[in-house]
Amino acid sequence: MKTRGSAARRRVLILGAGGHGRVVLDILLQAGQYEVLGFLDNNRDIQSRRVDGLVVHGSISDLERLARELDLDGAIIAIGDNGARRGLARQIEQAGIELVNAVHPSATIAYNATLGRNVVVAAGVVVCANCQIGDSVILNTGCIVDHQTMIGEGSHICPGVRIAGRVKVEPGVFVGIGATIVPKVTLGCESIIGAGAVVIDDIPPMATAVGVPARPIKAASASEEVAAMLLPADV
Ligand SMILES: CC(C)(COP(=O)(O)OP(=O)(O)OC[C@H]1O[C@@H](n2cnc3c(N)ncnc32)[C@H](O)[C@@H]1OP(=O)(O)O)[C@@H](O)C(=O)NCCC(=O)NCCS
């Protein structure tokens, strides 16, 4: 390993060079805390090319090798799919590579709010007092998370969402753009809230809920339905 001065910015790669990767790059550049060395992406069509001026060095499976070769300090996962992001984060941490956060300088985060690892906090986000934001959460552009709300691991809160106080968002939840969540409700794990929905009651795990007020339109995710189809007929 090279010896670097203590003032040197920490060197990171962004995993995922799609639209969300570009957003994460912008956040890291605006924040100025890290030196972004480029991207990794499994899409071969963009490998060795540049995205927003930075090289896509290879696929995500190259991370461990590149961590040594590039003298990397850490990485951040910029993959929108909640399940993929959570699973990959666990693999990377098991490999001993640090996952860092990207927090836009225009975000406002209460002094006593807590953030996990691999968290993205985009421009204009407000996180109020006593909130707990889990690992691998995306708080997307301009969303508001009010006091004492918990956002579970691997959830994605889309742009312009407003979440009131004391809401519990379980792991893996997707809250669509512009949705509103009233105080004290629970969004069950891996549930999906449609764009523009107003949630006034608890949402069951894996349900998809849309509308004003939000009502479930699907009881379980496609993956669960597929799993059920694979069971023997007499089970
Ligand atoms: C909720 C959502 C995930 C459902 O997608 P889907 O499972 O493919 O559902 P479909 O498009 O088949 O729609 C099913 C029904 O729900 C209705 N519906 C879907 N989304 C809706 C919404 N946001 N609000 C109200 N009704 C909605 C459809 O009109 C359809 O009604 P119908 O059965 O009477 O025709 C999707 O529509 C959505 O809102 N996604 C949000 C995307 C987003 O915020 N992206 C931002 C990324 S940063």
Side-chain angles (χ1 to χ4, degrees):
M1 287 236 176
K2 293 192 295 286
T3 305
R4 286 187 261 131
S6 58
R9 288 179 304 158
R10 304 182 71 220
R11 297 151 64 89
V12 297
L13 282 175
I14 298 172
L15 311 187
H20 185 50
R22 291 169 187 259
V23 171
V24 170
L25 171 61
D26 174 61
I27 295 170
L28 291 173
L29 294 178
Q30 302 270 357
Q33 195 181 353
Y34 296 105
E35 181 184 355
V36 184
L37 301 184
F39 296 93
L40 298 181
D41 197 291
N42 290 343
N43 178 359
R44 290 186 179 183
D45 293 342
I46 59 171
Q47 287 171 8
S48 301
R49 296 185 171 211
R50 287 180 183 268
V51 170
D52 284 352
L54 292 182
V55 173
V56 181
H57 291 275
S59 69
I60 289 171
S61 59
D62 295 324
L63 177 63
E64 280 190 66
R65 175 179 58 79
L66 286 167
R68 292 188 296 274
E69 289 178 12
L70 298 174
D71 192 18
L72 215 60
D73 293 303
I76 183 163
I77 304 172
I79 295 174
D81 182 87
N82 285 345
R85 194 170 63 257
R86 276 167 85 188
L88 183 59
R90 290 180 184 176
Q91 282 177 31
I92 290 173
E93 293 211 305
Q94 278 170 9
I97 296 170
E98 185 183 340
L99 288 169
V100 304
N101 294 344
V103 179
H104 196 281
S106 67
T108 302
I109 301 176
Y111 80 97
N112 57 5
T114 59
L115 298 186
R117 290 182 295 272
N118 193 39
V119 173
V120 173
V121 182
V125 167
V126 180
V127 178
C128 298
N130 301 103
C131 286
Q132 294 174 34
I133 312 298
D135 293 345
S136 299
V137 164
I138 302 171
L139 298 180
N140 223 322
T141 312
C143 72
I144 296 172
V145 182
D146 213 341
H147 61 95
Q148 293 158 286
T149 280
M150 293 170 58
I151 311 285
E153 180 188 354
S155 293
H156 180 175
I157 312 300
C158 283
V161 167
R162 290 166 294 182
I163 302 183
R166 298 189 187 188
V167 169
K168 185 175 181 197
V169 177
E170 292 184 345
V173 172
F174 176 88
V175 184
I177 192 162
T180 299
I181 319 295
V182 306
K184 297 183 188 174
V185 300
T186 296
L187 307 183
C189 68
E190 295 180 29
S191 58
I192 297 172
I193 310 301
V198 177
V199 177
I200 60 170
D201 292 310
D202 292 353
I203 302 297
M206 297 191 212
T208 298
V210 301
V212 181
R215 299 282 181 235
I217 54 169
K218 293 178 188 173
S221 70
S223 57
E224 193 179 69
E225 286 164 15
V226 170
M229 281 190 284
L230 295 175
L231 288 173
D234 57 350
V235 171

